[in-house]
Amino acid sequence: MTDVIHIPAGERGVVRLFALDMRPEQAMFLKEPGALAQVLGIENIDLEQVEIFPVSDLEDIGLAGYLREGLGVPSEQIEADRDRLDALEGHVLLIRSRAFDGRETRLTPASQITLIGSYGERATDWSGAPLTAESAKPNSAPPLPPREARAKAQRIGATLFAIGMILIALLVWALAT
């Protein structure tokens, strides 16, 4: 057994990369329900948030490129482990935080599973600048006079009613023939 890996409750946006020191058929068996959870020493794991594949499948992009381009890991984090990532061979295991359903978890991986690194995914920047254009202000459009607004609403309603009636007529005709 290796060291215990603590996953805090509510963790989001972290990808953990493990090297799998096992035969290819053993690595592929980990995709079976319950197998991966057993070798990680936990009760269950969401397999939709797990990837197991041979590094050779990544061909030209490489593992570092996949982490950066495919999973959104910032380049600064990857560069710190570049040599280790480039040296990996065989199968690897990627686990996203969502695999643990927000629960606090303690992983005790089997000896054939080695943690290579934990990487944070790029977070969305929600701090957009406030809109300052005049048209962005509430109720900035000039109001229609009441008669024009009522006439416009009646035209829209009549159009929708006509379309609905045509569709019903077509449906009745299609069923009758």
Side-chain angles (χ1 to χ4, degrees), residues 15 17 48-55 57-74 78 82 85-86 92-96 119 121-122:
V15 177
L17 173 66
E48 293 291 319
Q49 302 301 324
V50 172
E51 295 181 55
I52 300 170
F53 58 89
V55 175
D57 282 358
L58 297 175
E59 295 177 353
D60 294 338
I61 191 170
L63 191 53
Y66 181 67
L67 288 171
R68 185 177 50 256
E69 302 297 326
L71 298 175
V73 175
I78 295 170
R82 170 71 77 169
L85 295 174
D86 290 343
V92 293
L93 165 67
L94 288 166
I95 303 176
R96 293 176 190 83
Y119 306 98
E121 298 171 297
R122 263 186 230 109

PDB file of all heavy atoms in Angstrom, residues 15 17 48-55 57-74 78 82 85-86 92-96 119 121-122:
ATOM      1  N   VAL A  15      -7.733  17.324 -11.272  1.00  0.00           N
ATOM      2  CA  VAL A  15      -7.509  16.089 -12.015  1.00  0.00           C
ATOM      3  C   VAL A  15      -6.288  15.419 -11.413  1.00  0.00           C
ATOM      4  O   VAL A  15      -5.237  16.047 -11.268  1.00  0.00           O
ATOM      5  CB  VAL A  15      -7.254  16.382 -13.513  1.00  0.00           C
ATOM      6  CG1 VAL A  15      -6.940  15.104 -14.263  1.00  0.00           C
ATOM      7  CG2 VAL A  15      -8.427  17.093 -14.137  1.00  0.00           C
ATOM      8  N   LEU A  17      -3.529  12.356 -11.767  1.00  0.00           N
ATOM      9  CA  LEU A  17      -2.937  11.458 -12.748  1.00  0.00           C
ATOM     10  C   LEU A  17      -2.153  10.376 -12.020  1.00  0.00           C
ATOM     11  O   LEU A  17      -1.311  10.673 -11.170  1.00  0.00           O
ATOM     12  CB  LEU A  17      -2.005  12.239 -13.680  1.00  0.00           C
ATOM     13  CG  LEU A  17      -1.183  11.419 -14.664  1.00  0.00           C
ATOM     14  CD1 LEU A  17      -2.088  10.744 -15.685  1.00  0.00           C
ATOM     15  CD2 LEU A  17      -0.164  12.302 -15.351  1.00  0.00           C
ATOM     16  N   GLU A  48     -17.734   7.557 -14.991  1.00  0.00           N
ATOM     17  CA  GLU A  48     -17.866   8.561 -16.053  1.00  0.00           C
ATOM     18  C   GLU A  48     -16.799   9.648 -15.911  1.00  0.00           C
ATOM     19  O   GLU A  48     -16.508  10.352 -16.868  1.00  0.00           O
ATOM     20  CB  GLU A  48     -19.257   9.200 -16.012  1.00  0.00           C
ATOM     21  CG  GLU A  48     -20.374   8.250 -16.361  1.00  0.00           C
ATOM     22  CD  GLU A  48     -20.368   7.831 -17.806  1.00  0.00           C
ATOM     23  OE1 GLU A  48     -20.113   8.687 -18.674  1.00  0.00           O
ATOM     24  OE2 GLU A  48     -20.592   6.634 -18.066  1.00  0.00           O
ATOM     25  N   GLN A  49     -16.241   9.799 -14.727  1.00  0.00           N
ATOM     26  CA  GLN A  49     -15.242  10.832 -14.446  1.00  0.00           C
ATOM     27  C   GLN A  49     -13.827  10.256 -14.385  1.00  0.00           C
ATOM     28  O   GLN A  49     -12.929  10.884 -13.837  1.00  0.00           O
ATOM     29  CB  GLN A  49     -15.582  11.549 -13.132  1.00  0.00           C
ATOM     30  CG  GLN A  49     -16.956  12.184 -13.121  1.00  0.00           C
ATOM     31  CD  GLN A  49     -17.128  13.205 -14.221  1.00  0.00           C
ATOM     32  OE1 GLN A  49     -16.197  13.929 -14.564  1.00  0.00           O
ATOM     33  NE2 GLN A  49     -18.313  13.267 -14.792  1.00  0.00           N
ATOM     34  N   VAL A  50     -13.660   9.065 -14.944  1.00  0.00           N
ATOM     35  CA  VAL A  50     -12.376   8.363 -14.894  1.00  0.00           C
ATOM     36  C   VAL A  50     -11.961   7.999 -16.316  1.00  0.00           C
ATOM     37  O   VAL A  50     -12.805   7.642 -17.138  1.00  0.00           O
ATOM     38  CB  VAL A  50     -12.517   7.072 -14.049  1.00  0.00           C
ATOM     39  CG1 VAL A  50     -11.274   6.222 -14.131  1.00  0.00           C
ATOM     40  CG2 VAL A  50     -12.853   7.406 -12.610  1.00  0.00           C
ATOM     41  N   GLU A  51     -10.682   8.110 -16.596  1.00  0.00           N
ATOM     42  CA  GLU A  51     -10.141   7.670 -17.883  1.00  0.00           C
ATOM     43  C   GLU A  51      -8.959   6.747 -17.626  1.00  0.00           C
ATOM     44  O   GLU A  51      -8.099   7.041 -16.802  1.00  0.00           O
ATOM     45  CB  GLU A  51      -9.666   8.861 -18.717  1.00  0.00           C
ATOM     46  CG  GLU A  51     -10.770   9.795 -19.146  1.00  0.00           C
ATOM     47  CD  GLU A  51     -10.233  10.932 -19.998  1.00  0.00           C
ATOM     48  OE1 GLU A  51      -9.574  10.656 -21.014  1.00  0.00           O
ATOM     49  OE2 GLU A  51     -10.477  12.077 -19.615  1.00  0.00           O
ATOM     50  N   ILE A  52      -8.948   5.629 -18.325  1.00  0.00           N
ATOM     51  CA  ILE A  52      -7.831   4.688 -18.270  1.00  0.00           C
ATOM     52  C   ILE A  52      -7.433   4.411 -19.714  1.00  0.00           C
ATOM     53  O   ILE A  52      -8.268   3.984 -20.512  1.00  0.00           O
ATOM     54  CB  ILE A  52      -8.231   3.377 -17.570  1.00  0.00           C
ATOM     55  CG1 ILE A  52      -8.685   3.659 -16.135  1.00  0.00           C
ATOM     56  CG2 ILE A  52      -7.071   2.386 -17.597  1.00  0.00           C
ATOM     57  CD1 ILE A  52      -9.314   2.470 -15.438  1.00  0.00           C
ATOM     58  N   PHE A  53      -6.188   4.693 -20.043  1.00  0.00           N
ATOM     59  CA  PHE A  53      -5.749   4.500 -21.427  1.00  0.00           C
ATOM     60  C   PHE A  53      -4.230   4.388 -21.483  1.00  0.00           C
ATOM     61  O   PHE A  53      -3.524   4.852 -20.592  1.00  0.00           O
ATOM     62  CB  PHE A  53      -6.219   5.663 -22.307  1.00  0.00           C
ATOM     63  CG  PHE A  53      -5.752   7.012 -21.848  1.00  0.00           C
ATOM     64  CD1 PHE A  53      -4.542   7.541 -22.284  1.00  0.00           C
ATOM     65  CD2 PHE A  53      -6.520   7.759 -20.963  1.00  0.00           C
ATOM     66  CE1 PHE A  53      -4.115   8.775 -21.850  1.00  0.00           C
ATOM     67  CE2 PHE A  53      -6.104   9.005 -20.529  1.00  0.00           C
ATOM     68  CZ  PHE A  53      -4.888   9.517 -20.976  1.00  0.00           C
ATOM     69  N   PRO A  54      -3.714   3.782 -22.565  1.00  0.00           N
ATOM     70  CA  PRO A  54      -2.265   3.735 -22.742  1.00  0.00           C
ATOM     71  C   PRO A  54      -1.757   5.097 -23.228  1.00  0.00           C
ATOM     72  O   PRO A  54      -2.390   5.740 -24.056  1.00  0.00           O
ATOM     73  CB  PRO A  54      -2.056   2.654 -23.800  1.00  0.00           C
ATOM     74  CG  PRO A  54      -3.361   2.497 -24.485  1.00  0.00           C
ATOM     75  CD  PRO A  54      -4.422   2.973 -23.547  1.00  0.00           C
ATOM     76  N   VAL A  55      -0.631   5.521 -22.719  1.00  0.00           N
ATOM     77  CA  VAL A  55      -0.044   6.805 -23.101  1.00  0.00           C
ATOM     78  C   VAL A  55       0.222   6.827 -24.606  1.00  0.00           C
ATOM     79  O   VAL A  55       0.095   7.861 -25.247  1.00  0.00           O
ATOM     80  CB  VAL A  55       1.251   7.070 -22.301  1.00  0.00           C
ATOM     81  CG1 VAL A  55       1.940   8.340 -22.762  1.00  0.00           C
ATOM     82  CG2 VAL A  55       0.940   7.153 -20.813  1.00  0.00           C
ATOM     83  N   ASP A  57      -1.597   5.950 -26.960  1.00  0.00           N
ATOM     84  CA  ASP A  57      -2.782   6.383 -27.718  1.00  0.00           C
ATOM     85  C   ASP A  57      -2.757   7.878 -28.005  1.00  0.00           C
ATOM     86  O   ASP A  57      -3.446   8.340 -28.907  1.00  0.00           O
ATOM     87  CB  ASP A  57      -4.068   6.050 -26.959  1.00  0.00           C
ATOM     88  CG  ASP A  57      -4.448   4.582 -27.082  1.00  0.00           C
ATOM     89  OD1 ASP A  57      -3.734   3.828 -27.781  1.00  0.00           O
ATOM     90  OD2 ASP A  57      -5.461   4.195 -26.470  1.00  0.00           O
ATOM     91  N   LEU A  58      -2.005   8.637 -27.238  1.00  0.00           N
ATOM     92  CA  LEU A  58      -1.992  10.092 -27.394  1.00  0.00           C
ATOM     93  C   LEU A  58      -1.079  10.549 -28.531  1.00  0.00           C
ATOM     94  O   LEU A  58      -1.085  11.733 -28.878  1.00  0.00           O
ATOM     95  CB  LEU A  58      -1.589  10.759 -26.076  1.00  0.00           C
ATOM     96  CG  LEU A  58      -2.558  10.498 -24.931  1.00  0.00           C
ATOM     97  CD1 LEU A  58      -2.011  11.086 -23.639  1.00  0.00           C
ATOM     98  CD2 LEU A  58      -3.930  11.054 -25.229  1.00  0.00           C
ATOM     99  N   GLU A  59      -0.295   9.646 -29.076  1.00  0.00           N
ATOM    100  CA  GLU A  59       0.581   9.883 -30.223  1.00  0.00           C
ATOM    101  C   GLU A  59       1.287  11.232 -30.162  1.00  0.00           C
ATOM    102  O   GLU A  59       2.072  11.474 -29.259  1.00  0.00           O
ATOM    103  CB  GLU A  59      -0.207   9.723 -31.521  1.00  0.00           C
ATOM    104  CG  GLU A  59      -0.702   8.307 -31.720  1.00  0.00           C
ATOM    105  CD  GLU A  59      -1.540   8.140 -32.955  1.00  0.00           C
ATOM    106  OE1 GLU A  59      -1.868   9.139 -33.624  1.00  0.00           O
ATOM    107  OE2 GLU A  59      -1.888   6.988 -33.253  1.00  0.00           O
ATOM    108  N   ASP A  60       1.008  12.127 -31.119  1.00  0.00           N
ATOM    109  CA  ASP A  60       1.747  13.386 -31.252  1.00  0.00           C
ATOM    110  C   ASP A  60       1.470  14.385 -30.137  1.00  0.00           C
ATOM    111  O   ASP A  60       2.336  15.160 -29.764  1.00  0.00           O
ATOM    112  CB  ASP A  60       1.439  14.056 -32.597  1.00  0.00           C
ATOM    113  CG  ASP A  60       1.949  13.229 -33.765  1.00  0.00           C
ATOM    114  OD1 ASP A  60       2.864  12.405 -33.537  1.00  0.00           O
ATOM    115  OD2 ASP A  60       1.434  13.390 -34.876  1.00  0.00           O
ATOM    116  N   ILE A  61       0.254  14.387 -29.598  1.00  0.00           N
ATOM    117  CA  ILE A  61      -0.104  15.397 -28.593  1.00  0.00           C
ATOM    118  C   ILE A  61       0.596  15.122 -27.261  1.00  0.00           C
ATOM    119  O   ILE A  61       0.939  16.043 -26.536  1.00  0.00           O
ATOM    120  CB  ILE A  61      -1.628  15.510 -28.419  1.00  0.00           C
ATOM    121  CG1 ILE A  61      -1.986  16.729 -27.593  1.00  0.00           C
ATOM    122  CG2 ILE A  61      -2.197  14.260 -27.802  1.00  0.00           C
ATOM    123  CD1 ILE A  61      -3.463  17.051 -27.567  1.00  0.00           C
ATOM    124  N   GLY A  62       0.801  13.870 -26.926  1.00  0.00           N
ATOM    125  CA  GLY A  62       1.471  13.504 -25.681  1.00  0.00           C
ATOM    126  C   GLY A  62       0.601  13.743 -24.463  1.00  0.00           C
ATOM    127  O   GLY A  62      -0.455  14.379 -24.529  1.00  0.00           O
ATOM    128  N   LEU A  63       1.048  13.234 -23.342  1.00  0.00           N
ATOM    129  CA  LEU A  63       0.284  13.356 -22.102  1.00  0.00           C
ATOM    130  C   LEU A  63       0.196  14.806 -21.638  1.00  0.00           C
ATOM    131  O   LEU A  63      -0.871  15.274 -21.214  1.00  0.00           O
ATOM    132  CB  LEU A  63       0.904  12.472 -21.024  1.00  0.00           C
ATOM    133  CG  LEU A  63       0.102  12.260 -19.752  1.00  0.00           C
ATOM    134  CD1 LEU A  63      -1.311  11.777 -20.062  1.00  0.00           C
ATOM    135  CD2 LEU A  63       0.799  11.266 -18.851  1.00  0.00           C
ATOM    136  N   ALA A  64       1.284  15.540 -21.748  1.00  0.00           N
ATOM    137  CA  ALA A  64       1.266  16.957 -21.344  1.00  0.00           C
ATOM    138  C   ALA A  64       0.284  17.741 -22.208  1.00  0.00           C
ATOM    139  O   ALA A  64      -0.478  18.572 -21.708  1.00  0.00           O
ATOM    140  CB  ALA A  64       2.669  17.545 -21.455  1.00  0.00           C
ATOM    141  N   GLY A  65       0.282  17.476 -23.505  1.00  0.00           N
ATOM    142  CA  GLY A  65      -0.652  18.155 -24.404  1.00  0.00           C
ATOM    143  C   GLY A  65      -2.090  17.794 -24.103  1.00  0.00           C
ATOM    144  O   GLY A  65      -2.990  18.637 -24.173  1.00  0.00           O
ATOM    145  N   TYR A  66      -2.344  16.530 -23.759  1.00  0.00           N
ATOM    146  CA  TYR A  66      -3.701  16.116 -23.425  1.00  0.00           C
ATOM    147  C   TYR A  66      -4.181  16.801 -22.147  1.00  0.00           C
ATOM    148  O   TYR A  66      -5.324  17.244 -22.074  1.00  0.00           O
ATOM    149  CB  TYR A  66      -3.776  14.597 -23.273  1.00  0.00           C
ATOM    150  CG  TYR A  66      -5.165  14.118 -22.940  1.00  0.00           C
ATOM    151  CD1 TYR A  66      -6.192  14.237 -23.864  1.00  0.00           C
ATOM    152  CD2 TYR A  66      -5.459  13.574 -21.701  1.00  0.00           C
ATOM    153  CE1 TYR A  66      -7.475  13.825 -23.563  1.00  0.00           C
ATOM    154  CE2 TYR A  66      -6.727  13.151 -21.392  1.00  0.00           C
ATOM    155  CZ  TYR A  66      -7.740  13.279 -22.336  1.00  0.00           C
ATOM    156  OH  TYR A  66      -9.012  12.878 -22.015  1.00  0.00           O
ATOM    157  N   LEU A  67      -3.319  16.885 -21.157  1.00  0.00           N
ATOM    158  CA  LEU A  67      -3.704  17.568 -19.920  1.00  0.00           C
ATOM    159  C   LEU A  67      -4.031  19.037 -20.198  1.00  0.00           C
ATOM    160  O   LEU A  67      -5.020  19.573 -19.695  1.00  0.00           O
ATOM    161  CB  LEU A  67      -2.588  17.475 -18.882  1.00  0.00           C
ATOM    162  CG  LEU A  67      -2.366  16.107 -18.246  1.00  0.00           C
ATOM    163  CD1 LEU A  67      -1.095  16.101 -17.414  1.00  0.00           C
ATOM    164  CD2 LEU A  67      -3.560  15.696 -17.409  1.00  0.00           C
ATOM    165  N   ARG A  68      -3.203  19.676 -21.026  1.00  0.00           N
ATOM    166  CA  ARG A  68      -3.394  21.095 -21.312  1.00  0.00           C
ATOM    167  C   ARG A  68      -4.595  21.322 -22.226  1.00  0.00           C
ATOM    168  O   ARG A  68      -5.493  22.095 -21.909  1.00  0.00           O
ATOM    169  CB  ARG A  68      -2.125  21.673 -21.944  1.00  0.00           C
ATOM    170  CG  ARG A  68      -2.158  23.155 -22.187  1.00  0.00           C
ATOM    171  CD  ARG A  68      -0.863  23.727 -22.761  1.00  0.00           C
ATOM    172  NE  ARG A  68      -0.373  22.997 -23.925  1.00  0.00           N
ATOM    173  CZ  ARG A  68       0.655  22.146 -23.909  1.00  0.00           C
ATOM    174  NH1 ARG A  68       1.329  21.917 -22.795  1.00  0.00           N
ATOM    175  NH2 ARG A  68       1.036  21.512 -25.000  1.00  0.00           N
ATOM    176  N   GLU A  69      -4.627  20.650 -23.369  1.00  0.00           N
ATOM    177  CA  GLU A  69      -5.659  20.901 -24.367  1.00  0.00           C
ATOM    178  C   GLU A  69      -6.964  20.155 -24.082  1.00  0.00           C
ATOM    179  O   GLU A  69      -8.045  20.683 -24.307  1.00  0.00           O
ATOM    180  CB  GLU A  69      -5.153  20.514 -25.760  1.00  0.00           C
ATOM    181  CG  GLU A  69      -3.906  21.240 -26.188  1.00  0.00           C
ATOM    182  CD  GLU A  69      -4.091  22.745 -26.300  1.00  0.00           C
ATOM    183  OE1 GLU A  69      -5.195  23.189 -26.676  1.00  0.00           O
ATOM    184  OE2 GLU A  69      -3.133  23.468 -25.984  1.00  0.00           O
ATOM    185  N   GLY A  70      -6.857  18.924 -23.606  1.00  0.00           N
ATOM    186  CA  GLY A  70      -8.045  18.116 -23.401  1.00  0.00           C
ATOM    187  C   GLY A  70      -8.739  18.329 -22.070  1.00  0.00           C
ATOM    188  O   GLY A  70      -9.952  18.211 -21.974  1.00  0.00           O
ATOM    189  N   LEU A  71      -7.965  18.652 -21.040  1.00  0.00           N
ATOM    190  CA  LEU A  71      -8.545  18.775 -19.704  1.00  0.00           C
ATOM    191  C   LEU A  71      -8.467  20.189 -19.138  1.00  0.00           C
ATOM    192  O   LEU A  71      -8.955  20.437 -18.045  1.00  0.00           O
ATOM    193  CB  LEU A  71      -7.872  17.792 -18.739  1.00  0.00           C
ATOM    194  CG  LEU A  71      -8.048  16.318 -19.107  1.00  0.00           C
ATOM    195  CD1 LEU A  71      -7.244  15.435 -18.182  1.00  0.00           C
ATOM    196  CD2 LEU A  71      -9.510  15.926 -19.079  1.00  0.00           C
ATOM    197  N   GLY A  72      -7.817  21.096 -19.845  1.00  0.00           N
ATOM    198  CA  GLY A  72      -7.780  22.492 -19.409  1.00  0.00           C
ATOM    199  C   GLY A  72      -6.848  22.768 -18.254  1.00  0.00           C
ATOM    200  O   GLY A  72      -7.070  23.716 -17.495  1.00  0.00           O
ATOM    201  N   VAL A  73      -5.800  21.981 -18.098  1.00  0.00           N
ATOM    202  CA  VAL A  73      -4.831  22.224 -17.028  1.00  0.00           C
ATOM    203  C   VAL A  73      -3.893  23.345 -17.491  1.00  0.00           C
ATOM    204  O   VAL A  73      -3.368  23.292 -18.602  1.00  0.00           O
ATOM    205  CB  VAL A  73      -4.025  20.944 -16.706  1.00  0.00           C
ATOM    206  CG1 VAL A  73      -2.941  21.220 -15.684  1.00  0.00           C
ATOM    207  CG2 VAL A  73      -4.961  19.845 -16.214  1.00  0.00           C
ATOM    208  N   PRO A  74      -3.678  24.373 -16.671  1.00  0.00           N
ATOM    209  CA  PRO A  74      -2.779  25.464 -17.065  1.00  0.00           C
ATOM    210  C   PRO A  74      -1.356  24.971 -17.332  1.00  0.00           C
ATOM    211  O   PRO A  74      -0.848  24.078 -16.654  1.00  0.00           O
ATOM    212  CB  PRO A  74      -2.804  26.404 -15.852  1.00  0.00           C
ATOM    213  CG  PRO A  74      -4.074  26.082 -15.141  1.00  0.00           C
ATOM    214  CD  PRO A  74      -4.315  24.619 -15.379  1.00  0.00           C
ATOM    215  N   ILE A  78       1.766  22.056 -15.696  1.00  0.00           N
ATOM    216  CA  ILE A  78       2.301  20.943 -16.478  1.00  0.00           C
ATOM    217  C   ILE A  78       3.811  21.037 -16.587  1.00  0.00           C
ATOM    218  O   ILE A  78       4.516  20.023 -16.486  1.00  0.00           O
ATOM    219  CB  ILE A  78       1.642  20.911 -17.866  1.00  0.00           C
ATOM    220  CG1 ILE A  78       0.157  20.599 -17.708  1.00  0.00           C
ATOM    221  CG2 ILE A  78       2.313  19.885 -18.771  1.00  0.00           C
ATOM    222  CD1 ILE A  78      -0.647  20.764 -18.959  1.00  0.00           C
ATOM    223  N   ARG A  82       6.879  18.213 -16.391  1.00  0.00           N
ATOM    224  CA  ARG A  82       7.073  17.850 -17.806  1.00  0.00           C
ATOM    225  C   ARG A  82       7.940  16.599 -17.976  1.00  0.00           C
ATOM    226  O   ARG A  82       7.596  15.697 -18.731  1.00  0.00           O
ATOM    227  CB  ARG A  82       7.669  19.032 -18.554  1.00  0.00           C
ATOM    228  CG  ARG A  82       8.146  18.748 -19.958  1.00  0.00           C
ATOM    229  CD  ARG A  82       7.043  18.511 -20.909  1.00  0.00           C
ATOM    230  NE  ARG A  82       6.447  19.777 -21.268  1.00  0.00           N
ATOM    231  CZ  ARG A  82       5.583  19.895 -22.252  1.00  0.00           C
ATOM    232  NH1 ARG A  82       5.252  18.840 -22.960  1.00  0.00           N
ATOM    233  NH2 ARG A  82       5.041  21.040 -22.523  1.00  0.00           N
ATOM    234  N   LEU A  85       6.052  13.473 -16.942  1.00  0.00           N
ATOM    235  CA  LEU A  85       4.972  13.176 -17.882  1.00  0.00           C
ATOM    236  C   LEU A  85       5.518  12.577 -19.175  1.00  0.00           C
ATOM    237  O   LEU A  85       4.946  11.628 -19.715  1.00  0.00           O
ATOM    238  CB  LEU A  85       4.166  14.439 -18.192  1.00  0.00           C
ATOM    239  CG  LEU A  85       3.394  15.053 -17.018  1.00  0.00           C
ATOM    240  CD1 LEU A  85       2.776  16.370 -17.419  1.00  0.00           C
ATOM    241  CD2 LEU A  85       2.338  14.087 -16.506  1.00  0.00           C
ATOM    242  N   ASP A  86       6.606  13.134 -19.673  1.00  0.00           N
ATOM    243  CA  ASP A  86       7.192  12.632 -20.917  1.00  0.00           C
ATOM    244  C   ASP A  86       7.783  11.236 -20.740  1.00  0.00           C
ATOM    245  O   ASP A  86       7.864  10.471 -21.705  1.00  0.00           O
ATOM    246  CB  ASP A  86       8.280  13.594 -21.420  1.00  0.00           C
ATOM    247  CG  ASP A  86       7.685  14.907 -21.920  1.00  0.00           C
ATOM    248  OD1 ASP A  86       6.459  14.955 -22.185  1.00  0.00           O
ATOM    249  OD2 ASP A  86       8.442  15.884 -22.046  1.00  0.00           O
ATOM    250  N   VAL A  92      -2.217   4.844 -18.010  1.00  0.00           N
ATOM    251  CA  VAL A  92      -2.384   5.851 -16.968  1.00  0.00           C
ATOM    252  C   VAL A  92      -3.854   5.914 -16.567  1.00  0.00           C
ATOM    253  O   VAL A  92      -4.735   5.463 -17.301  1.00  0.00           O
ATOM    254  CB  VAL A  92      -1.894   7.251 -17.416  1.00  0.00           C
ATOM    255  CG1 VAL A  92      -0.401   7.273 -17.615  1.00  0.00           C
ATOM    256  CG2 VAL A  92      -2.615   7.720 -18.655  1.00  0.00           C
ATOM    257  N   LEU A  93      -4.082   6.482 -15.410  1.00  0.00           N
ATOM    258  CA  LEU A  93      -5.417   6.635 -14.848  1.00  0.00           C
ATOM    259  C   LEU A  93      -5.605   8.109 -14.524  1.00  0.00           C
ATOM    260  O   LEU A  93      -4.775   8.700 -13.834  1.00  0.00           O
ATOM    261  CB  LEU A  93      -5.533   5.777 -13.578  1.00  0.00           C
ATOM    262  CG  LEU A  93      -6.692   6.037 -12.629  1.00  0.00           C
ATOM    263  CD1 LEU A  93      -8.018   5.677 -13.281  1.00  0.00           C
ATOM    264  CD2 LEU A  93      -6.495   5.235 -11.346  1.00  0.00           C
ATOM    265  N   LEU A  94      -6.673   8.713 -15.062  1.00  0.00           N
ATOM    266  CA  LEU A  94      -7.024  10.102 -14.751  1.00  0.00           C
ATOM    267  C   LEU A  94      -8.336  10.090 -13.986  1.00  0.00           C
ATOM    268  O   LEU A  94      -9.312   9.468 -14.422  1.00  0.00           O
ATOM    269  CB  LEU A  94      -7.213  10.914 -16.043  1.00  0.00           C
ATOM    270  CG  LEU A  94      -5.965  11.244 -16.814  1.00  0.00           C
ATOM    271  CD1 LEU A  94      -6.319  11.728 -18.214  1.00  0.00           C
ATOM    272  CD2 LEU A  94      -5.181  12.302 -16.093  1.00  0.00           C
ATOM    273  N   ILE A  95      -8.365  10.767 -12.845  1.00  0.00           N
ATOM    274  CA  ILE A  95      -9.583  10.839 -12.034  1.00  0.00           C
ATOM    275  C   ILE A  95      -9.902  12.308 -11.786  1.00  0.00           C
ATOM    276  O   ILE A  95      -9.077  13.038 -11.238  1.00  0.00           O
ATOM    277  CB  ILE A  95      -9.426  10.111 -10.684  1.00  0.00           C
ATOM    278  CG1 ILE A  95      -9.028   8.661 -10.895  1.00  0.00           C
ATOM    279  CG2 ILE A  95     -10.726  10.203  -9.887  1.00  0.00           C
ATOM    280  CD1 ILE A  95      -8.769   7.905  -9.607  1.00  0.00           C
ATOM    281  N   ARG A  96     -11.104  12.736 -12.181  1.00  0.00           N
ATOM    282  CA  ARG A  96     -11.565  14.099 -11.911  1.00  0.00           C
ATOM    283  C   ARG A  96     -12.230  14.138 -10.540  1.00  0.00           C
ATOM    284  O   ARG A  96     -12.757  13.142 -10.055  1.00  0.00           O
ATOM    285  CB  ARG A  96     -12.573  14.538 -12.974  1.00  0.00           C
ATOM    286  CG  ARG A  96     -11.970  14.694 -14.348  1.00  0.00           C
ATOM    287  CD  ARG A  96     -13.062  15.035 -15.371  1.00  0.00           C
ATOM    288  NE  ARG A  96     -12.560  14.955 -16.709  1.00  0.00           N
ATOM    289  CZ  ARG A  96     -12.453  13.832 -17.420  1.00  0.00           C
ATOM    290  NH1 ARG A  96     -12.830  12.695 -16.899  1.00  0.00           N
ATOM    291  NH2 ARG A  96     -11.978  13.852 -18.634  1.00  0.00           N
ATOM    292  N   TYR A 119      -3.617  18.145 -10.625  1.00  0.00           N
ATOM    293  CA  TYR A 119      -3.620  19.362 -11.432  1.00  0.00           C
ATOM    294  C   TYR A 119      -4.984  20.024 -11.365  1.00  0.00           C
ATOM    295  O   TYR A 119      -6.012  19.367 -11.431  1.00  0.00           O
ATOM    296  CB  TYR A 119      -3.291  19.024 -12.896  1.00  0.00           C
ATOM    297  CG  TYR A 119      -2.003  18.254 -13.035  1.00  0.00           C
ATOM    298  CD1 TYR A 119      -2.013  16.860 -13.164  1.00  0.00           C
ATOM    299  CD2 TYR A 119      -0.785  18.897 -13.002  1.00  0.00           C
ATOM    300  CE1 TYR A 119      -0.839  16.151 -13.275  1.00  0.00           C
ATOM    301  CE2 TYR A 119       0.408  18.188 -13.113  1.00  0.00           C
ATOM    302  CZ  TYR A 119       0.365  16.819 -13.246  1.00  0.00           C
ATOM    303  OH  TYR A 119       1.537  16.117 -13.346  1.00  0.00           O
ATOM    304  N   GLU A 121      -7.900  22.288 -12.914  1.00  0.00           N
ATOM    305  CA  GLU A 121      -8.416  22.713 -14.204  1.00  0.00           C
ATOM    306  C   GLU A 121      -8.590  24.221 -14.198  1.00  0.00           C
ATOM    307  O   GLU A 121      -8.791  24.827 -13.147  1.00  0.00           O
ATOM    308  CB  GLU A 121      -9.764  22.040 -14.476  1.00  0.00           C
ATOM    309  CG  GLU A 121      -9.670  20.530 -14.553  1.00  0.00           C
ATOM    310  CD  GLU A 121     -11.032  19.871 -14.609  1.00  0.00           C
ATOM    311  OE1 GLU A 121     -11.780  20.016 -13.629  1.00  0.00           O
ATOM    312  OE2 GLU A 121     -11.321  19.239 -15.616  1.00  0.00           O
ATOM    313  N   ARG A 122      -8.503  24.837 -15.385  1.00  0.00           N
ATOM    314  CA  ARG A 122      -8.724  26.282 -15.482  1.00  0.00           C
ATOM    315  C   ARG A 122     -10.125  26.614 -15.013  1.00  0.00           C
ATOM    316  O   ARG A 122     -11.090  26.017 -15.469  1.00  0.00           O
ATOM    317  CB  ARG A 122      -8.569  26.741 -16.939  1.00  0.00           C
ATOM    318  CG  ARG A 122      -7.221  27.283 -17.237  1.00  0.00           C
ATOM    319  CD  ARG A 122      -7.182  27.844 -18.656  1.00  0.00           C
ATOM    320  NE  ARG A 122      -6.019  27.279 -19.309  1.00  0.00           N
ATOM    321  CZ  ARG A 122      -6.037  26.371 -20.273  1.00  0.00           C
ATOM    322  NH1 ARG A 122      -7.166  25.947 -20.760  1.00  0.00           N
ATOM    323  NH2 ARG A 122      -4.923  25.911 -20.774  1.00  0.00           N
TER     324      ARG A 122
END
